[in-house]
Amino acid sequence: MPQEDPRHARTMPPPAAPGRPRIIALDVVRGFALCGILLANVQPISHIGTTAVTEAQATIDDAARWLGLLVEQRFFPIFSLLFGVGFSLLLDSAGRRVPRPRVLLVRRLLVLLVMGLAHMFLLWRGDILTIYALVGLVVLLPSTWLPRWAVAGLAVVLVAAAMIVFGGGTMIVPGLFLLGSALTRYGVIARIESSTLVPALLALLFGAGTVATLTLQGSAEGLPMAASGLAMAGLYVCTLLVLFRTPLRPVLRTLFAPLGRMALTNYLSATALVLIIGKVVGGRPESWSLTTIVSIAAVILVLQWVWSTLWLRRYRFGPMEWLWRWATWGSRPAQRVP
């Protein structure tokens, strides 16, 4: 009977699903963030003009006020943090399975870049995946050679600089990537499902920060908007983690984990769904009421939740997640649930 080449065995991932248990809380937080990102993106994706009619101005102001209060710049920071977390978790897993894990991570980021560029040029120029892939290559990958204390310190510096100099926005992504990586390397993420007191105390701190920064946001944009976005993002995440330690855990897992496990598939498909539903709704997207925006997002999320839930009963990964994993590891991963 022929013997397997041990060199080949080291370079190929095992056919089974991931070697480490899934951190369900991360799926829940990711699914929750996906809901907020969709809500924030409904109008930008559907936008067909820049000048709104005068009669709709009151509606625009109402929608913008509530979206600015609860949604704008509140959810993509969560996704950015989670991207850094996922990157470091994968590096740790790959380091135990292949001799050159960073090569695997480069391939993963390049594949994401291709997906992002396709999404950008075919559907929507506001795609964030391209930015994530480029920042990952330029910032996250080199940081893997740094000690964790340096990664944490650099994260703080980059976040502060992005807020002060650029007023937040996507310029905050590199710092949040590094923050997520640092949290993982310090073991915080591994203990994320076992603590209630820490997230509860942080929720109080972020809540106080949210109140303070929202007061300033009412009179100015830029830094106050970025600060309130970070504070509220932290409040959302910590509140979810506290609730995840209560009897509401099964409810949160049922509602958000399927969306979070298929976040890439759902993010990409949401663009097409928004464009289709937007055509059915009609009118100028900039004149849509808050009710219309929320309704469009809700319809899409219900469709995606049903699809994700049914899909994951039979398969380990979402369609795009499976392709991304295949391209990353260089071998087709097992997909069917036993």
Side-chain angles (χ1 to χ4, degrees):
M1 182 175 180
Q3 296 295 315
E4 181 182 15
D5 186 344
R7 293 172 299 174
H8 179 72
R10 287 193 69 200
T11 58
M12 302 300 289
R20 58 176 174 79
R22 289 195 71 90
I23 302 176
I24 305 302
L26 293 181
D27 290 330
V28 170
V29 173
R30 189 179 295 110
F32 174 77
L34 186 76
C35 297
I37 287 174
L38 175 59
L39 189 56
N41 286 343
V42 166
Q43 276 185 306
I45 292 173
S46 302
H47 189 69
I48 56 175
T50 57
T51 305
V53 294
T54 305
E55 292 80 5
Q57 191 61 51
T59 299
I60 297 170
D61 291 343
D62 179 65
R65 185 181 304 113
W66 284 104
L67 291 176
L69 178 66
L70 300 174
V71 177
E72 297 293 340
Q73 295 196 40
R74 273 65 172 154
F75 290 95
F76 89 83
I78 301 176
F79 241 102
S80 301
L81 184 77
L82 291 175
F83 191 91
V85 169
F87 186 90
S88 286
L89 287 175
L90 180 59
L91 176 62
D92 180 66
S93 175
R96 297 192 300 267
R97 298 163 66 180
V98 297
R100 300 169 64 190
R102 290 180 180 85
V103 174
L104 182 144
L105 291 172
V106 169
R107 188 160 61 235
R108 183 173 179 81
L109 291 170
L110 289 176
V111 172
L112 184 65
L113 179 61
V114 172
M115 290 182 182
L117 289 173
H119 184 224
M120 178 186 298
F121 288 109
L122 294 177
L123 292 175
W124 182 44
R125 293 194 177 273
D127 168 79
I128 194 69
L129 300 181
T130 304
I131 295 174
Y132 277 16
L134 292 174
V135 174
L137 288 167
V138 174
V139 177
L140 262 182
L141 190 64
S143 76
T144 61
W145 281 280
L146 297 176
R148 61 185 185 178
W149 62 264
V151 174
L154 189 57
V156 174
V157 170
L158 289 180
V159 169
M163 293 177 62
I164 295 171
V165 178
F166 300 102
T170 56
M171 295 302 296
I172 207 168
V173 168
L176 292 175
F177 274 13
L178 293 180
L179 180 59
S181 178
L183 290 174
T184 305
R185 293 173 65 176
Y186 273 102
V188 174
I189 301 303
R191 301 189 297 271
I192 199 172
E193 293 185 359
S194 61
S195 175
T196 304
L197 179 60
V198 172
L201 293 176
L202 287 175
L204 292 176
L205 180 62
F206 282 124
T210 297
V211 173
T213 53
L214 283 178
T215 302
L216 296 174
Q217 182 182 316
S219 57
E221 296 184 357
L223 179 58
M225 180 70 167
S228 65
L230 280 182
M232 191 168 287
L235 177 60
Y236 284 153
V237 171
C238 291
T239 301
L240 271 177
L241 293 178
V242 171
L243 294 176
F244 200 66
R245 296 277 293 169
T246 71
L248 288 176
R249 177 189 177 105
V251 177
L252 294 174
R253 179 171 182 170
T254 299
L255 286 177
F256 297 118
L259 294 172
R261 288 182 61 185
M262 290 177 51
L264 179 60
T265 297
N266 288 327
Y267 171 78
L268 293 172
S269 63
T271 303
L273 291 172
V274 168
L275 292 172
I276 293 171
I277 296 176
K279 293 295 184 182
V280 174
V281 171
R284 300 176 67 89
E286 65 269 28
S287 68
W288 286 344
S289 68
L290 181 63
T291 301
T292 300
I293 296 169
V294 173
S295 298
I296 292 173
V299 168
I300 293 172
L301 289 171
V302 168
L303 290 173
Q304 291 185 330
W305 180 85
V306 171
W307 178 36
S308 298
T309 301
L310 295 176
W311 180 275
L312 291 171
R313 288 179 182 175
R314 300 185 63 185
Y315 303 107
R316 299 177 187 273
F317 313 104
M320 296 307 299
E321 287 78 8
W322 181 69
L323 289 173
W324 195 19
R325 187 177 180 84
W326 187 354
T328 297
W329 290 97
S331 66
R332 185 170 63 181
Q335 175 69 318
R336 286 275 186 173
V337 173

